Amino acid sequence: MAKTTGIARNDKWPYLFITPYFLFYAVFSLFPILFTLYLSFTDWDLFGNNNFTGFDNYRQLFMHDKFFWKSLGNVLLFIVCYLPALVLFGMLIASLIESRLIRRKTFFRLSFFSAYMTTPVAIGIIFALLFDWQGGFINNLFIELGWIHEKVNWLGSSGWARWIVILMIFWKNLGYFIMFYTAGMASIDTSIYEAAQIDGASAKSVFFRITIPLLKPINLFLVITSIIGGLQLVEEPMLLYSGWASGTSMTGGPDGSVFTPIWYMFDASFSGSSFKYGKGAAIAYSTFLFIALFSLMGIKWLNRDGDSK
Amino acid sequence: MSLIFLFPFYMMLAMGTYYSEDLFKTLPILPSGYLLENLKTILSADFLLNYWNSIYVALLFTAVSVFISALTGFAFGKYSFKGKKWLYGFILVTMMIPGQLGLIAFVMEMKWFHLNNSHAPLIIAGLNNAFGVFFMTQFVQSSVPTEVVESARIDGCTEPGIFFRIVIPFLLPAVSTLGLICFLGSWNNYLLPLVTINKPELYTLPLGIANLSTRYRTDYSASILGLTLGTLPLILLFLFGSKTLVRGLTGGAVKG
Amino acid sequence: MQQELRKKSNWSMLLVLALCFTFVLSACGSNKDGDASAASSPAGSSDGGSAAAESGKLVEWGWDKSGHDKLMAEFSKNHPHIQVEYVEVSAKDYLKKIQTSIASGSDLPDIIWAEAAQRGAIYELNVLDDLGAAPYSFDKSALLDFEVPLLTNSKDQLVALDQQVAPGAVAYKRELAKQYLGTDDPDQLASMFKSWDDFAQKGKEVYDKSGGKVTMFASLMDAYTILSNQMTKPFIDGVSVNKTDMLGIFGQLQKLRDMNNEAKLSMWSPSWSASYSQNSVIFYPAANWSPEFVIKPNDKSSSGAWGLTVPPSGGFTYGGTSIGIWKGSKQKDAAWTYLKGMYGSAEGADVSFKGMQAILPLKSVFDDTSKLASGPDAFFGGQDLNKFWIEKVFPSIKAKPVTKYDQDVYSASEIVLQTMAQDMKFDADKAFEKWSEELKKNHPELTIE
């Protein structure tokens, strides 16, 4: 009785429902994808070259290109650092806000989400001002507090640059995660919580035994899209290092420490002297392979214990 | 803790009141007196027109995106049909392909359809929101009780009827969340309008703001003021959508 | 509850419909406009030579609408029937828009701009018409000699005209110069430094005397701007990298660093901009557009605090915008009238000077330089800026041929110099190595002898 029944009777409806999406996709989005794939097998660069070169681009990327591998390693590192934090803090704070302990819920929701809504231009300037080597706020503050004795070149050292990027991503996305968890929690039946309360469950076990499992579909969504999006990261590092808000550009950050695959793609195809669309397309699809790989791993891992809880 | 998070947003508001070069001297914590000047700067640059363009493009984009995502998500979430796994997998895969270079091909397509140089490309971009479908599917699976769907069917409701009358109310939290994200995405979209629109009257807000800067000097504070004013609709939508997040709104329906 | 929700969804449906309506209207409207203008221009150009040259509607993409409006006001007095539809595109995104249009086969504007660092690349994209050939037949000897390499592509065709001369020198803070160098007179300062080595040596003294608080330059990139623009040979000849000159520059920069000539700021960053109004840096590279766009905005309150002088090894070209005509333009005659009438003739020189106080790099303009003086500028302690450029900088000005790699060379140098500033062990050889590596990332075809 629990299975979705009525397959025979409702045969056509699901297909009808999904038709708009697939129709528009076929008309508008299929061509760009195939075109880009084709591009990756050429050396098109707007200066006159337009030859089919087979797997040359891929071979170059995978065998000889240390920039590509470095950028891949960077984004993986970032994801490993910020994703668990976002999931944990996201759920915690969302359930805190939603619980009866807090009134004025909208204020809190808005303040966390405001991070996501802040204009990138402003963010770039703010972080440049905070972490500037000579005149930055953080340096001055830390020296005042005696935590450091000499000004640290946050943006110029490869180690710190990574942490700053991770910090930016965490700050921006916490509100985003909280939003989604809140939406998910909004549809959890309150009667479950009431029942748990009557049974005398502690807040902690309510959180771990009820909230988390019920949020699993949302978590699946958030984690997978974060992996997919995280591997395609390009905004935060570019904000800090493409000379737009913070002055001199440093493609890839100090020593390429915050270089990302998609940034490399932009660098190869949209930069000031290089219009190598073929190479850019190859980077895009190579990255895609890794995205598919890690997303699959992510899905398998999240579904590993089924509904045993 | 939430105040720390709010802080940069507040700084953004304060930045709009500065004379651009003063921004670089210290952290802009207290508002400065340049607000009127900056306002004048942005208003003289077709700000209101760009603002309106951005608004209605974003609204259409969101409406289209959310609707199609919800419809498709419902199908994937509550039905089982032949090929479902493959089709769903296909959608997920399309999310994984970095699409920025596809821009060129997309512009080519728009040219063939004679739709370039209008707002159509911006809205058409909303028709293929794999992300939205994914989210809606997950949400439908977790929040739409099958029993309600079943009982509606037994009562003789048509499938579209089920969707519109029964399912959508359950989906309201998802609709408002997804709607907000889509709106934000369209609003901040810079690359697509840049390469598809060649008429200044059709420019959206980010483009208009970028043009405030000359080659040698970027008027950061005026830009930030313009962009901040741009977040107003977002805040409004957020507050509006927050009402749907009240828990228990849908809780009663199952028991009844 | 159900009714409420239904009402809400009704409202939103209505809203969406209304918006769709507006959108459809505007889309139809803009298409109609597009058709109308397309209909009128062929009529204009089929009319025959002179009529076509004197009337038409040109499309121009640029990033300075207010400047354009001023110039048009003057230009229209001479050619009332030429209209220009000016589409604003910010300088930072200009190249992106152009290349996407080329790649997708879309139309380019009749009049195309090319900003200094991207000039070479735009020329090589092969979208600008050769101005030396028919129907333009522009004689390049009308231009000042040093300008020609800036406007020529690798096929030796002149493909653009410069919006104005863009000479570069150094600006300095008079107070600091007086205090640490003994004088604030521009000529005396210029003669103090016979070479860059002299400069570096003096710089060390300044640093020591001020206890590390005052330096000659704000960053290595500032010095690089001057040094690289003083080169006379291109960065890259064909695909062969100019190792000698580059190594020389890096060596010079290393010396400047070792002798504490720079303050380790990041050029164009917030703290770099703030330094203009603080008393920590004496010299900044400056072009004729710098006072208005960089110096005055960053140091509003002071007046008489600044001066301009010539750096060691003389003047150079810094920045500037060149403008050309699209190969696929359907209105080349009108476009040429426009281009010539703004930037390529005595009449154009008049228009440019009256509209924007811009000086064109035409020999004819410099026959009588008395008209070009800009008057004493109080902000610069009474110096006549135009006179300064013409009399002190032009005699020694240098320019080098542009290449399509210029922008990437700049980015690679930025990366390398940031490391040089913080790592004292990073010397010229290592700098060159890293620089080559960065360049080769996207340009594997380059060779280094």
Side-chain angles (χ1 to χ4, degrees):
Chain A
M1 252 317 188
K3 268 181 20 195
T4 19
T5 54
I7 296 178
R9 269 179 295 154
N10 299 312
D11 221 10
K12 60 177 166 112
W13 283 111
Y15 291 107
L16 274 175
F17 284 158
I18 65 175
T19 299
Y21 181 82
F22 282 98
L23 180 68
F24 287 124
Y25 190 82
V27 173
F28 292 115
S29 303
L30 199 54
F31 174 61
I33 299 231
L34 295 175
F35 181 76
T36 313
L37 185 60
Y38 168 71
L39 273 188
S40 69
F41 293 117
T42 71
D43 66 354
W44 192 30
D45 72 353
L46 281 198
F47 284 127
N49 286 317
N50 199 344
N51 317 307
F52 190 78
T53 55
F55 282 99
D56 273 359
N57 286 330
Y58 290 100
R59 219 172 307 168
Q60 195 267 330
L61 277 179
F62 281 97
M63 314 276 230
H64 303 296
D65 196 333
K66 62 174 207 174
F67 290 102
F68 178 64
W69 289 109
K70 183 145 202 191
S71 64
L72 209 48
N74 286 340
V75 281
L76 284 171
L77 178 67
F78 293 154
I79 294 179
V80 162
C81 289
Y82 66 70
L83 192 54
L86 279 174
V87 168
L88 198 60
F89 283 97
M91 283 200 285
L92 262 170
I93 297 183
S95 54
L96 263 177
I97 295 182
E98 293 306 308
S99 73
R100 283 159 306 150
L101 299 172
I102 312 269
R103 263 161 284 173
R104 296 256 220 99
K105 295 188 194 303
T106 314
F107 170 73
F108 283 99
R109 281 190 211 130
L110 187 56
S111 61
F112 279 106
F113 193 64
S114 70
Y116 195 72
M117 293 196 287
T118 315
T119 312
V121 180
I123 299 182
I125 299 186
I126 293 176
F127 274 79
L129 284 172
L130 282 175
F131 289 100
D132 190 74
W133 187 13
Q134 302 299 331
F137 184 69
I138 298 264
N139 268 334
N140 293 335
L141 182 67
F142 283 9
I143 288 188
E144 287 269 334
L145 292 175
W147 288 357
I148 54 177
H149 298 290
E150 211 179 78
K151 293 188 175 175
V152 176
N153 192 356
W154 305 101
L155 294 171
S157 85
S158 40
W160 287 117
R162 291 193 169 123
W163 282 111
I164 295 183
V165 169
I166 293 177
L167 180 67
M168 280 175 87
I169 300 176
F170 178 76
W171 172 74
K172 173 174 178 178
N173 285 295
L174 190 59
Y176 178 86
F177 270 62
I178 292 178
M179 268 287 286
F180 277 90
Y181 285 131
T182 309
M185 285 177 184
S187 31
I188 296 180
D189 196 353
T190 37
S191 57
I192 300 185
Y193 283 100
E194 284 161 13
Q197 259 210 310
I198 294 173
D199 283 350
S202 71
K204 201 163 78 162
S205 56
V206 166
F207 184 70
F208 280 104
R209 298 257 179 82
I210 301 186
T211 315
I212 293 192
L214 284 177
L215 283 178
K216 182 132 127 16
I218 305 280
N219 259 323
L220 182 75
F221 167 74
L222 283 172
V223 168
I224 299 301
T225 50
S226 294
I227 293 181
I228 297 179
L231 282 164
Q232 296 185 47
L233 179 71
V234 76
E235 190 172 311
E236 273 75 15
M238 274 186 93
L239 222 48
L240 286 178
Y241 290 106
S242 53
W244 167 45
S246 61
T248 317
S249 86
M250 197 168 14
T251 312
D255 230 7
S257 58
V258 295
F259 206 31
T260 71
I262 301 301
W263 192 353
Y264 192 12
M265 184 183 85
F266 273 112
D267 191 45
S269 28
F270 284 113
S271 82
S273 312
S274 174
F275 309 119
K276 296 194 150 86
Y277 292 122
K279 178 171 177 179
I283 296 179
Y285 273 97
S286 307
T287 314
F288 160 70
L289 290 173
F290 286 97
I291 297 179
L293 176 67
F294 285 103
S295 312
L296 256 142
M297 279 168 54
I299 294 180
K300 288 241 157 23
W301 185 78
L302 277 170
N303 282 331
R304 70 194 181 295
D305 42 19
D307 290 20
S308 57
K309 283 225 177 84
Chain B
M1 160 95 149
S2 60
L3 284 175
I4 301 184
F5 274 80
L6 192 50
F7 197 52
F9 186 78
Y10 165 73
M11 268 207 273
M12 178 175 83
L13 292 171
M15 278 181 178
T17 63
Y18 273 70
Y19 171 65
S20 191
E21 270 68 17
D22 282 344
L23 270 184
F24 302 143
K25 308 224 168 110
T26 54
L27 269 187
I29 303 189
L30 297 169
S32 167
Y34 219 64
L35 181 58
L36 284 179
E37 282 300 318
N38 284 338
L39 261 179
K40 252 201 288 180
T41 312
I42 55 182
L43 283 175
S44 67
D46 277 340
F47 180 66
L48 291 172
L49 180 64
N50 293 334
Y51 203 90
W52 167 246
N53 284 336
S54 273
I55 288 191
Y56 95 83
V57 165
L59 280 174
L60 279 177
F61 177 93
T62 307
V64 154
S65 226
V66 170
F67 180 69
I68 294 193
S69 298
L71 197 60
T72 319
F74 174 56
F76 279 117
K78 279 299 170 205
Y79 294 82
S80 53
F81 48 92
K82 243 199 319 197
K84 168 172 158 173
K85 263 222 172 99
W86 289 104
L87 289 172
Y88 194 59
F90 179 77
I91 296 187
L92 286 191
V93 165
T94 61
M95 266 204 290
M96 302 182 199
I97 304 180
Q100 291 90 339
L101 278 183
L103 201 58
I104 305 173
F106 188 68
V107 176
M108 277 191 219
E109 276 184 331
M110 291 296 110
K111 225 176 51 124
W112 297 334
F113 287 117
H114 292 290
L115 286 175
N116 60 337
N117 226 355
S118 73
H119 285 141
L122 303 179
I123 301 185
I124 290 178
L127 293 169
N128 293 300
N129 199 342
F131 165 89
V133 171
F134 186 25
F135 175 60
M136 280 294 178
T137 311
Q138 296 301 108
F139 199 84
V140 161
Q141 272 178 352
S142 73
S143 319
V144 177
T146 326
E147 305 85 65
V148 180
V149 178
E150 292 291 319
S151 50
R153 228 176 252 151
I154 292 173
D155 282 351
C157 198
T158 61
E159 296 301 312
I162 294 183
F163 178 67
F164 282 103
R165 289 210 214 111
I166 311 285
V167 177
I168 288 202
F170 280 103
L171 288 181
L172 280 181
V175 164
S176 63
T177 310
L178 186 63
L180 207 56
I181 304 292
C182 285
F183 191 88
L184 191 58
S186 167
W187 187 268
N188 281 338
N189 195 354
Y190 185 73
L191 208 49
L192 190 59
L194 177 73
V195 298
T196 53
I197 303 182
N198 293 336
K199 281 193 212 284
E201 316 84 79
L202 299 177
Y203 276 179
T204 57
L205 192 62
L207 284 182
I209 296 286
N211 286 327
L212 282 179
S213 315
T214 64
R215 159 66 183 91
Y216 302 115
R217 176 174 179 258
T218 315
D219 192 347
Y220 288 110
S221 49
S223 309
I224 291 181
L225 179 64
L227 293 167
T228 311
L229 288 174
T231 55
L232 276 178
L234 289 163
I235 301 182
L236 282 172
L237 278 172
F238 186 86
L239 294 172
F240 181 72
S242 265
K243 296 207 200 107
T244 65
L245 296 175
V246 174
R247 214 199 296 158
L249 178 72
T250 56
V254 186
K255 290 205 214 117
Chain C
M1 172 97 91
Q2 284 277 53
Q3 270 204 322
E4 231 178 78
L5 287 169
R6 205 174 297 161
K7 245 196 251 170
K8 246 194 217 165
S9 62
N10 279 346
W11 262 115
S12 29
M13 281 293 180
L14 261 176
L15 190 62
V16 172
L17 279 174
L19 286 168
C20 283
F21 194 59
T22 325
F23 154 67
V24 167
L25 271 183
S26 73
C28 287
S30 55
N31 276 343
K32 256 195 276 169
D33 277 4
D35 287 337
S37 57
S40 60
S41 36
S45 52
S46 62
D47 240 354
S50 55
E54 278 307 317
S55 67
K57 188 152 190 273
L58 301 169
V59 176
E60 179 173 7
W61 290 359
W63 51 78
D64 186 12
K65 184 154 207 297
S66 59
H68 167 83
D69 288 339
K70 289 190 202 134
L71 287 176
M72 271 312 271
E74 295 297 321
F75 177 79
S76 300
K77 292 184 193 154
N78 300 324
H79 303 275
H81 299 295
I82 296 192
Q83 288 160 335
V84 175
E85 184 187 316
Y86 191 87
V87 178
E88 268 187 287
V89 180
S90 88
K92 293 190 191 76
D93 305 309
Y94 200 85
L95 195 54
K96 235 184 247 175
K97 200 168 160 76
I98 294 266
Q99 54 162 310
T100 319
S101 300
I102 298 176
S104 62
S106 313
D107 279 345
L108 288 175
D110 300 297
I111 309 279
I112 300 181
W113 288 26
E115 198 257 303
Q118 299 160 351
R119 277 198 259 236
I122 294 191
Y123 298 167
E124 291 314 300
L125 284 175
N126 227 350
V127 289
L128 297 177
D129 235 348
D130 180 5
L131 296 176
Y136 319 105
S137 309
F138 183 75
D139 180 7
K140 58 173 133 177
S141 65
L143 292 169
L144 293 175
D145 293 331
F146 69 82
E147 273 286 322
V148 179
L150 298 172
L151 306 169
T152 311
N153 67 6
S154 61
K155 298 198 206 108
D156 216 26
Q157 301 166 327
L158 190 86
V159 287
L161 291 178
D162 237 339
Q163 222 181 17
Q164 55 176 308
V165 286
V170 281
Y172 61 93
K173 300 205 82 166
R174 290 180 179 263
E175 266 302 314
L176 294 176
K178 223 187 290 188
Q179 196 179 351
Y180 292 98
L181 297 169
T183 171
D184 73 345
D185 176 76
D187 295 320
Q188 284 183 8
L189 278 174
S191 54
M192 210 187 280
F193 309 115
K194 297 273 183 298
S195 72
W196 279 104
D197 286 332
D198 282 349
F199 189 90
Q201 188 57 44
K202 250 319 180 184
K204 186 165 189 348
E205 290 168 24
V206 169
Y207 183 78
D208 293 334
K209 227 202 297 186
S210 67
K213 289 210 174 39
V214 177
T215 55
M216 300 294 250
F217 282 121
S219 74
L220 283 177
M221 209 57 208
D222 288 67
Y224 173 85
T225 306
I226 304 178
L227 287 167
S228 64
N229 282 320
Q230 285 175 334
M231 283 163 67
T232 47
K233 297 211 218 82
F235 284 120
I236 296 174
D237 186 10
V239 290
S240 169
V241 171
N242 186 345
K243 179 172 182 178
T244 335
D245 284 346
M246 284 318 289
L247 211 42
I249 291 185
F250 286 135
Q252 201 59 256
L253 290 168
Q254 185 195 338
K255 227 180 277 181
L256 288 172
R257 174 201 66 186
D258 291 339
M259 300 219 180
N260 288 315
N261 267 279
E262 48 93 28
K264 305 200 186 303
L265 295 175
S266 181
M267 196 176 182
W268 302 112
S269 72
S271 42
W272 179 87
S273 303
S275 69
Y276 278 79
S277 57
Q278 294 156 356
N279 279 325
S280 51
V281 176
I282 308 184
F283 292 103
Y284 294 91
N288 58 340
W289 41 263
S290 302
E292 187 189 330
F293 291 104
V294 183
I295 305 181
K296 286 186 190 167
N298 276 323
D299 193 17
K300 289 186 286 176
S301 40
S302 67
S303 186
W306 290 86
L308 289 175
T309 188
V310 183
S313 298
F316 53 98
T317 41
Y318 183 17
T321 308
S322 37
I323 306 193
I325 299 180
W326 182 32
K327 264 194 181 152
S329 164
K330 301 202 178 42
Q331 316 194 70
K332 294 194 183 176
D333 291 310
W336 178 236
T337 309
Y338 176 74
L339 199 64
K340 198 162 67 144
M342 285 250 192
Y343 306 113
S345 58
E347 175 196 309
D350 216 32
V351 167
S352 284
F353 193 71
K354 280 215 192 97
M356 290 277 293
Q357 281 77 55
I359 302 179
L360 294 184
L362 298 169
K363 287 186 179 137
S364 57
V365 171
F366 290 85
D367 286 336
D368 180 10
T369 57
S370 58
K371 290 185 285 166
L372 301 170
S374 56
D377 189 329
F379 196 84
F380 282 83
Q383 249 182 319
D384 183 323
L385 298 184
N386 275 356
K387 249 180 157 195
F388 168 76
W389 296 117
I390 297 173
E391 289 171 13
K392 308 280 190 233
V393 178
F394 273 43
S396 61
I397 202 170
K398 295 171 206 53
K400 59 183 182 304
V402 293
T403 74
K404 67 178 183 178
Y405 300 103
D406 288 350
Q407 178 79 56
D408 279 356
V409 164
Y410 189 80
S411 307
S413 302
E414 281 183 305
I415 295 180
V416 159
L417 291 181
Q418 300 246 29
T419 312
M420 195 185 257
Q422 27 166 359
D423 182 359
M424 295 305 272
K425 291 191 254 123
F426 195 72
D427 63 9
D429 286 315
K430 289 212 197 92
F432 183 75
E433 220 182 279
K434 185 152 212 292
W435 181 85
S436 320
E437 204 181 81
E438 283 291 334
L439 260 190
K440 282 189 144 180
K441 171 175 48 148
N442 281 326
H443 303 287
E445 71 274 9
L446 295 177
T447 63
I448 305 174
E449 90 260 357

